[in-house]
PDB file of all heavy atoms in Angstrom:
ATOM      1  N   SER Y  24       4.281  21.710  16.232  1.00  0.00           N
ATOM      2  CA  SER Y  24       5.568  22.085  16.819  1.00  0.00           C
ATOM      3  C   SER Y  24       5.743  23.605  16.809  1.00  0.00           C
ATOM      4  O   SER Y  24       6.168  24.206  17.804  1.00  0.00           O
ATOM      5  CB  SER Y  24       6.702  21.416  16.052  1.00  0.00           C
ATOM      6  OG  SER Y  24       7.946  21.817  16.548  1.00  0.00           O
ATOM      7  N   PHE Y  25       5.387  24.225  15.690  1.00  0.00           N
ATOM      8  CA  PHE Y  25       5.479  25.682  15.587  1.00  0.00           C
ATOM      9  C   PHE Y  25       4.564  26.342  16.610  1.00  0.00           C
ATOM     10  O   PHE Y  25       4.951  27.305  17.289  1.00  0.00           O
ATOM     11  CB  PHE Y  25       5.122  26.138  14.174  1.00  0.00           C
ATOM     12  CG  PHE Y  25       5.067  27.624  14.018  1.00  0.00           C
ATOM     13  CD1 PHE Y  25       6.233  28.372  13.917  1.00  0.00           C
ATOM     14  CD2 PHE Y  25       3.854  28.289  13.992  1.00  0.00           C
ATOM     15  CE1 PHE Y  25       6.188  29.753  13.780  1.00  0.00           C
ATOM     16  CE2 PHE Y  25       3.795  29.675  13.864  1.00  0.00           C
ATOM     17  CZ  PHE Y  25       4.969  30.397  13.753  1.00  0.00           C
ATOM     18  N   GLN Y  26       3.342  25.832  16.750  1.00  0.00           N
ATOM     19  CA  GLN Y  26       2.400  26.400  17.707  1.00  0.00           C
ATOM     20  C   GLN Y  26       2.882  26.228  19.146  1.00  0.00           C
ATOM     21  O   GLN Y  26       2.731  27.130  19.970  1.00  0.00           O
ATOM     22  CB  GLN Y  26       1.016  25.775  17.529  1.00  0.00           C
ATOM     23  CG  GLN Y  26       0.337  26.227  16.255  1.00  0.00           C
ATOM     24  CD  GLN Y  26      -0.996  25.546  16.011  1.00  0.00           C
ATOM     25  OE1 GLN Y  26      -1.336  24.571  16.670  1.00  0.00           O
ATOM     26  NE2 GLN Y  26      -1.738  26.061  15.047  1.00  0.00           N
ATOM     27  N   GLU Y  27       3.485  25.089  19.458  1.00  0.00           N
ATOM     28  CA  GLU Y  27       4.028  24.882  20.804  1.00  0.00           C
ATOM     29  C   GLU Y  27       5.143  25.882  21.093  1.00  0.00           C
ATOM     30  O   GLU Y  27       5.210  26.455  22.189  1.00  0.00           O
ATOM     31  CB  GLU Y  27       4.535  23.456  20.971  1.00  0.00           C
ATOM     32  CG  GLU Y  27       3.432  22.423  21.084  1.00  0.00           C
ATOM     33  CD  GLU Y  27       3.955  20.990  21.129  1.00  0.00           C
ATOM     34  OE1 GLU Y  27       5.137  20.756  20.780  1.00  0.00           O
ATOM     35  OE2 GLU Y  27       3.173  20.105  21.505  1.00  0.00           O
ATOM     36  N   ASP Y  28       6.014  26.095  20.104  1.00  0.00           N
ATOM     37  CA  ASP Y  28       7.096  27.073  20.278  1.00  0.00           C
ATOM     38  C   ASP Y  28       6.532  28.476  20.479  1.00  0.00           C
ATOM     39  O   ASP Y  28       7.013  29.237  21.331  1.00  0.00           O
ATOM     40  CB  ASP Y  28       8.032  27.067  19.063  1.00  0.00           C
ATOM     41  CG  ASP Y  28       8.873  25.813  18.963  1.00  0.00           C
ATOM     42  OD1 ASP Y  28       8.966  25.068  19.970  1.00  0.00           O
ATOM     43  OD2 ASP Y  28       9.431  25.559  17.876  1.00  0.00           O
ATOM     44  N   THR Y  29       5.517  28.820  19.700  1.00  0.00           N
ATOM     45  CA  THR Y  29       4.890  30.132  19.816  1.00  0.00           C
ATOM     46  C   THR Y  29       4.246  30.306  21.184  1.00  0.00           C
ATOM     47  O   THR Y  29       4.389  31.359  21.823  1.00  0.00           O
ATOM     48  CB  THR Y  29       3.841  30.329  18.702  1.00  0.00           C
ATOM     49  OG1 THR Y  29       4.488  30.203  17.430  1.00  0.00           O
ATOM     50  CG2 THR Y  29       3.187  31.701  18.798  1.00  0.00           C
ATOM     51  N   ILE Y  30       3.545  29.287  21.658  1.00  0.00           N
ATOM     52  CA  ILE Y  30       2.903  29.347  22.976  1.00  0.00           C
ATOM     53  C   ILE Y  30       3.949  29.533  24.070  1.00  0.00           C
ATOM     54  O   ILE Y  30       3.773  30.344  24.982  1.00  0.00           O
ATOM     55  CB  ILE Y  30       2.042  28.096  23.227  1.00  0.00           C
ATOM     56  CG1 ILE Y  30       0.788  28.147  22.346  1.00  0.00           C
ATOM     57  CG2 ILE Y  30       1.657  27.969  24.693  1.00  0.00           C
ATOM     58  CD1 ILE Y  30       0.001  26.847  22.316  1.00  0.00           C
ATOM     59  N   ASN Y  31       5.050  28.794  23.989  1.00  0.00           N
ATOM     60  CA  ASN Y  31       6.110  28.931  24.992  1.00  0.00           C
ATOM     61  C   ASN Y  31       6.714  30.332  24.972  1.00  0.00           C
ATOM     62  O   ASN Y  31       6.967  30.928  26.023  1.00  0.00           O
ATOM     63  CB  ASN Y  31       7.196  27.879  24.769  1.00  0.00           C
ATOM     64  CG  ASN Y  31       6.748  26.495  25.158  1.00  0.00           C
ATOM     65  OD1 ASN Y  31       5.881  26.320  26.009  1.00  0.00           O
ATOM     66  ND2 ASN Y  31       7.313  25.488  24.519  1.00  0.00           N
ATOM     67  N   GLU Y  32       6.930  30.869  23.782  1.00  0.00           N
ATOM     68  CA  GLU Y  32       7.488  32.215  23.663  1.00  0.00           C
ATOM     69  C   GLU Y  32       6.515  33.255  24.226  1.00  0.00           C
ATOM     70  O   GLU Y  32       6.917  34.162  24.967  1.00  0.00           O
ATOM     71  CB  GLU Y  32       7.796  32.531  22.197  1.00  0.00           C
ATOM     72  CG  GLU Y  32       8.475  33.859  21.990  1.00  0.00           C
ATOM     73  CD  GLU Y  32       8.840  34.107  20.534  1.00  0.00           C
ATOM     74  OE1 GLU Y  32       9.009  33.141  19.774  1.00  0.00           O
ATOM     75  OE2 GLU Y  32       8.955  35.287  20.171  1.00  0.00           O
ATOM     76  N   LEU Y  33       5.241  33.114  23.899  1.00  0.00           N
ATOM     77  CA  LEU Y  33       4.239  34.044  24.413  1.00  0.00           C
ATOM     78  C   LEU Y  33       4.114  33.936  25.930  1.00  0.00           C
ATOM     79  O   LEU Y  33       3.920  34.948  26.620  1.00  0.00           O
ATOM     80  CB  LEU Y  33       2.880  33.795  23.750  1.00  0.00           C
ATOM     81  CG  LEU Y  33       2.796  34.189  22.269  1.00  0.00           C
ATOM     82  CD1 LEU Y  33       1.482  33.708  21.671  1.00  0.00           C
ATOM     83  CD2 LEU Y  33       2.962  35.683  22.091  1.00  0.00           C
ATOM     84  N   ASN Y  34       4.241  32.731  26.467  1.00  0.00           N
ATOM     85  CA  ASN Y  34       4.188  32.540  27.914  1.00  0.00           C
ATOM     86  C   ASN Y  34       5.331  33.288  28.601  1.00  0.00           C
ATOM     87  O   ASN Y  34       5.125  33.932  29.638  1.00  0.00           O
ATOM     88  CB  ASN Y  34       4.230  31.053  28.259  1.00  0.00           C
ATOM     89  CG  ASN Y  34       4.012  30.814  29.728  1.00  0.00           C
ATOM     90  OD1 ASN Y  34       3.078  31.327  30.319  1.00  0.00           O
ATOM     91  ND2 ASN Y  34       4.884  30.016  30.327  1.00  0.00           N
ATOM     92  N   LEU Y  35       6.516  33.226  28.025  1.00  0.00           N
ATOM     93  CA  LEU Y  35       7.657  33.959  28.581  1.00  0.00           C
ATOM     94  C   LEU Y  35       7.407  35.464  28.541  1.00  0.00           C
ATOM     95  O   LEU Y  35       7.732  36.187  29.497  1.00  0.00           O
ATOM     96  CB  LEU Y  35       8.937  33.618  27.812  1.00  0.00           C
ATOM     97  CG  LEU Y  35       9.462  32.193  27.971  1.00  0.00           C
ATOM     98  CD1 LEU Y  35      10.624  31.939  27.012  1.00  0.00           C
ATOM     99  CD2 LEU Y  35       9.865  31.918  29.403  1.00  0.00           C
ATOM    100  N   ILE Y  36       6.816  35.941  27.450  1.00  0.00           N
ATOM    101  CA  ILE Y  36       6.520  37.369  27.325  1.00  0.00           C
ATOM    102  C   ILE Y  36       5.496  37.794  28.368  1.00  0.00           C
ATOM    103  O   ILE Y  36       5.659  38.828  29.033  1.00  0.00           O
ATOM    104  CB  ILE Y  36       6.032  37.692  25.898  1.00  0.00           C
ATOM    105  CG1 ILE Y  36       7.187  37.541  24.906  1.00  0.00           C
ATOM    106  CG2 ILE Y  36       5.426  39.090  25.815  1.00  0.00           C
ATOM    107  CD1 ILE Y  36       6.768  37.566  23.445  1.00  0.00           C
ATOM    108  N   VAL Y  37       4.447  37.003  28.535  1.00  0.00           N
ATOM    109  CA  VAL Y  37       3.407  37.333  29.516  1.00  0.00           C
ATOM    110  C   VAL Y  37       3.985  37.333  30.928  1.00  0.00           C
ATOM    111  O   VAL Y  37       3.688  38.226  31.736  1.00  0.00           O
ATOM    112  CB  VAL Y  37       2.214  36.359  29.399  1.00  0.00           C
ATOM    113  CG1 VAL Y  37       1.265  36.495  30.573  1.00  0.00           C
ATOM    114  CG2 VAL Y  37       1.464  36.582  28.089  1.00  0.00           C
ATOM    115  N   ALA Y  38       4.843  36.370  31.239  1.00  0.00           N
ATOM    116  CA  ALA Y  38       5.457  36.309  32.570  1.00  0.00           C
ATOM    117  C   ALA Y  38       6.332  37.541  32.815  1.00  0.00           C
ATOM    118  O   ALA Y  38       6.308  38.134  33.898  1.00  0.00           O
ATOM    119  CB  ALA Y  38       6.278  35.031  32.719  1.00  0.00           C
TER     120      ALA Y  38
END
Side-chain angles (χ1 to χ4, degrees):
S24 177
F25 175 77
Q26 289 176 348
E27 287 175 344
D28 290 344
T29 301
I30 288 169
N31 287 333
E32 185 177 335
L33 290 172
N34 187 50
L35 292 172
I36 291 169
V37 168

